[in-house]
Amino acid sequence: MSVIQIANTITGWPGRQIIRNLLYVINLITFSTLAIHDWLRKNQLFNSRSYTTTVTQIIFTGIDALPTITFLGLATGFIFTFRLISITNSLGSTDDIINLLITVICLSAGPFLAAIIIISRTGSAIVVDLGNMKLHGEIEALENMGVNINDYMVAPRIIGTAISQLAITVYFTVIALLTGILISTVFVNTAHLDFIYKIGDSFTPYFIAIFVIKNLIFGYVIGTIACYNALLLKGSATELPQRTTASIVQSLSFIFVIDSLLTFAIFI
């Protein structure tokens, strides 16, 4: 291979990767948009089939994960919230502490940790569930019977994951904040108990909107990537663990990128 060919190979690699990633993002957007469109077009909100599937997904993603979320919330409250209050208390004002808690715990750590849990539990479970149905011909059989897979199986999982991400993050954030504040009240200063009320007053509609939008996007992306990878299976059982791993890696990568872009857009 000549020097020119090597140079072309090296310089062409970034371009190929960018194009490949852009096409993948377009495929995900198209896939999820068609699924949600089919769900909305048939007014599935009032259809017991899809409603049951969505609620089942929310129960698995949200309620079944509560023990894990509770433990992580308590640990985060001690490791991060309590220490942030202790450190900032000697360096800044009460307003600085409140702003730091909202920024770090509510808008950063909470959504990110909840997303990691959902990716590891729900994302992988969706790939295995739909992937096995694809391998065993169940999805093809449903399609032959006239069942719309998008509205019956894909959209409810995406919607359920998005709603669960928001609910889990709210629960996690409350636990993490209360734990840290209560520990700080007992061991540092009893006046820190007022932080509970001050944080509530400091949550403006702007911050609430950011919090809700960020979590819904995280859950939507995780559910979409999981369903998309599951339905890419061609018929070999060896593909299932590969697709599960790919779904986890891709979801984590997207969450990192989305979190960075949203943080940049919010604070710049």
Side-chain angles (χ1 to χ4, degrees), residues 229-255:
N229 276 278
L231 296 178
L232 281 180
L233 287 168
K234 301 299 182 182
S236 173
T238 58
E239 289 184 72
L240 187 55
Q242 296 174 355
R243 284 297 168 191
T244 304
T245 303
S247 174
I248 294 173
V249 173
Q250 291 166 12
S251 296
L252 287 173
S253 300
F254 270 87
I255 293 304

Side-chain angles (χ1 to χ4, degrees), residues 61-62 64-82 104-105 109-121 165 168-180 183:
T61 306
D64 289 354
L66 286 184
T68 304
I69 293 294
T70 302
F71 172 77
L72 286 178
L74 294 172
T76 302
F78 175 74
I79 296 172
F80 292 103
T81 308
F82 169 60
V104 175
I105 303 300
F112 192 75
L113 290 176
I116 291 177
I117 293 173
I118 290 179
I119 289 170
S120 60
R121 290 185 76 259
Q165 166 74 29
I168 283 176
T169 307
V170 171
Y171 179 78
F172 171 87
T173 302
V174 170
I175 294 295
L177 288 175
L178 287 178
T179 301
I183 294 175

Side-chain angles (χ1 to χ4, degrees), residues 3 17 20 28 49 65 70 105-106 110 123 147 149-150 177 185 220 256:
V3 176
Q17 292 300 315
R20 182 181 303 170
L28 288 178
R49 288 187 305 111
T70 302
I105 303 300
C106 299
V147 176
I149 299 301
N150 281 338
L177 288 175
T185 300
Y220 186 91
F256 272 112

Side-chain angles (χ1 to χ4, degrees), residues 98-115:
I98 299 302
N99 290 331
L100 189 63
L101 291 178
I102 291 176
T103 301
V104 175
I105 303 300
C106 299
L107 298 182
S108 298
F112 192 75
L113 290 176

Side-chain angles (χ1 to χ4, degrees), residues 4-250:
I4 295 178
Q5 290 176 324
I6 295 175
N8 289 335
T9 301
I10 295 175
T11 56
W13 182 83
R16 289 193 297 272
Q17 292 300 315
I18 292 174
I19 293 174
R20 182 181 303 170
N21 291 331
L22 285 176
L23 290 176
Y24 183 73
V25 172
I26 292 173
N27 287 337
L28 288 178
I29 294 174
T30 304
F31 173 77
S32 62
T33 302
L34 289 176
I36 299 299
H37 174 266
D38 289 345
W39 192 84
L40 293 174
R41 182 170 56 85
K42 294 187 177 183
N43 202 18
Q44 294 300 311
L45 182 62
F46 304 101
N47 188 297
S48 60
R49 288 187 305 111
S50 188
Y51 180 76
T52 302
T53 306
T54 304
V55 171
T56 302
Q57 186 63 54
I58 293 174
I59 291 173
F60 172 76
T61 306
I63 296 178
D64 289 354
L66 286 184
T68 304
I69 293 294
T70 302
F71 172 77
L72 286 178
L74 294 172
T76 302
F78 175 74
I79 296 172
F80 292 103
T81 308
F82 169 60
R83 293 187 179 181
L84 282 174
I85 294 175
S86 301
I87 294 172
T88 313
N89 186 53
S90 59
L91 300 176
S93 63
T94 300
D95 291 337
D96 294 331
I97 298 175
I98 299 302
N99 290 331
L100 189 63
L101 291 178
I102 291 176
T103 301
V104 175
I105 303 300
C106 299
L107 298 182
S108 298
F112 192 75
L113 290 176
I116 291 177
I117 293 173
I118 290 179
I119 289 170
S120 60
R121 290 185 76 259
T122 305
S124 57
I126 289 175
V127 178
V128 172
D129 183 27
L130 292 182
N132 279 322
M133 294 182 69
K134 182 77 179 290
L135 291 175
H136 297 153
E138 296 176 37
I139 291 181
E140 184 179 357
L142 289 172
E143 290 176 334
N144 291 336
M145 290 188 294
V147 176
N148 188 325
I149 299 301
N150 281 338
D151 101 85
Y152 182 58
M153 304 188 71
V154 176
R157 283 170 169 78
I158 295 175
I159 295 171
T161 304
I163 295 174
S164 298
Q165 166 74 29
L166 177 59
I168 283 176
T169 307
V170 171
Y171 179 78
F172 171 87
T173 302
V174 170
I175 294 295
L177 288 175
L178 287 178
T179 301
I181 292 173
L182 291 177
I183 294 175
S184 176
T185 300
V186 173
F187 293 102
V188 180
N189 190 338
T190 56
H192 288 175
L193 189 63
D194 292 338
F195 288 167
I196 296 176
Y197 307 103
K198 292 179 180 179
I199 288 177
D201 294 336
S202 300
F203 244 100
T204 63
Y206 174 73
F207 278 114
I208 293 175
I210 293 173
F211 181 85
V212 172
I213 291 172
K214 185 174 187 177
N215 282 286
L216 290 178
I217 290 176
F218 279 7
Y220 186 91
V221 168
I222 294 169
T224 298
I225 292 176
C227 292
Y228 183 78
N229 276 278
L231 296 178
L232 281 180
L233 287 168
K234 301 299 182 182
S236 173
T238 58
E239 289 184 72
L240 187 55
Q242 296 174 355
R243 284 297 168 191
T244 304
T245 303
S247 174
I248 294 173
V249 173
Q250 291 166 12

